């Protein structure tokens, strides 16, 4: 989606997604792969893949990096960017008549948050601690809920 997160004048070079994050990962529970149906797994995979498609767009990637570099609160920025991407994917799914389960949104949103945090780290904008990641996750959940 061209311009989804861009601001005028941003010129940061796009960063390619790391190869290890190119494929969605199955949700895990307590370190073990969860027991989900093939249909649920397919919806999860599609959800994360669509989000990666949005994130990988050059203008979106530039905007993500730019937002982090300009941010005084990288944790809040991570939450906001995650929700923006999730809402974009959910909106497209709803237009296609596909309803997404809350578990898919939570697990997929968490993976998207981790991917965006990795982009911030690789760009040199911010290296998130575990505490910041947890705080950003809760902020993203609250922000998403408040937007509904």
């Amino acid at each position: 989606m061209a311009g989804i997160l861009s601001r005028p004048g941003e010129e940061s070079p796009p960063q390619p997604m790391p190869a290890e994050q190119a494929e969605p990962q199955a949700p895990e529970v307590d370190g073990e792969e969860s027991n989900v149906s093939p249909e649920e797994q397919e919806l999860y995979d599609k959800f994360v893949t669509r989000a990666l498609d949005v994130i990988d767009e050059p203008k979106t990637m530039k905007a993500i990096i730019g937002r982090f570099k300009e941010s005084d609160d990288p944790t809040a920025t991570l939450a906001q960017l995650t929700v923006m991407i999730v809402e974009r994917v959910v909106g497209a799914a709803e237009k296609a008549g596909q309803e997404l389960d809350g578990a898919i949104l939570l697990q997929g949103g968490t993976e998207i948050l981790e991917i965006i945090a990795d982009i911030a780290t690789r760009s040199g904008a911010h290296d998130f601690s575990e505490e910041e990641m947890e705080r950003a996750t809760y902020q993203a959940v609250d922000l998403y809920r408040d937007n509904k």
Side-chain angles (χ1 to χ4, degrees):
M1 316 284 137
I4 181 175
L5 305 172
S6 61
R7 292 185 177 161
E10 287 184 343
E11 295 299 323
S12 300
Q15 302 291 317
M17 288 302 300
E20 68 270 12
Q21 292 181 346
E23 294 295 322
Q25 301 298 313
E28 292 187 6
V29 177
D30 295 329
E32 296 180 18
E33 193 169 320
S34 67
N35 189 15
V36 297
S37 72
E39 294 81 18
E40 291 169 321
Q41 185 64 50
E42 182 180 352
L43 287 173
Y44 173 84
D45 291 345
K46 284 182 181 180
F47 177 80
V48 175
T49 299
R50 297 287 186 268
L52 288 171
D53 289 344
V54 172
I55 292 167
D56 282 341
E57 292 178 5
K59 286 186 178 182
T60 303
M61 186 65 71
K62 284 184 201 178
I64 289 169
I65 294 167
R67 291 277 303 270
F68 278 116
K69 289 187 176 181
E70 295 173 0
S71 178
D72 292 332
D73 186 351
T75 302
T77 299
L78 177 58
Q80 293 162 1
L81 290 169
T82 300
V83 170
M84 290 171 70
I85 299 294
V86 167
E87 286 177 339
R88 184 56 147 254
V89 175
V90 168
E94 288 173 349
K95 281 185 180 180
Q98 181 67 56
E99 187 173 326
L100 297 171
D101 180 82
I104 291 171
L105 293 176
L106 182 60
Q107 293 294 325
T110 300
E111 184 168 347
I112 293 163
L113 182 132
E114 291 169 357
I115 291 166
I116 295 171
D118 188 58
I119 292 168
T121 299
R122 289 176 184 263
S123 72
H126 189 77
D127 190 12
F128 289 91
S129 68
E130 284 187 39
E131 181 180 293
E132 288 173 313
M133 292 292 289
E134 183 176 342
R135 194 167 56 240
T137 300
Y138 287 121
Q139 286 179 4
V141 168
D142 289 344
L143 182 58
Y144 184 80
R145 184 187 57 230
D146 290 348
N147 288 349
K148 285 291 174 193

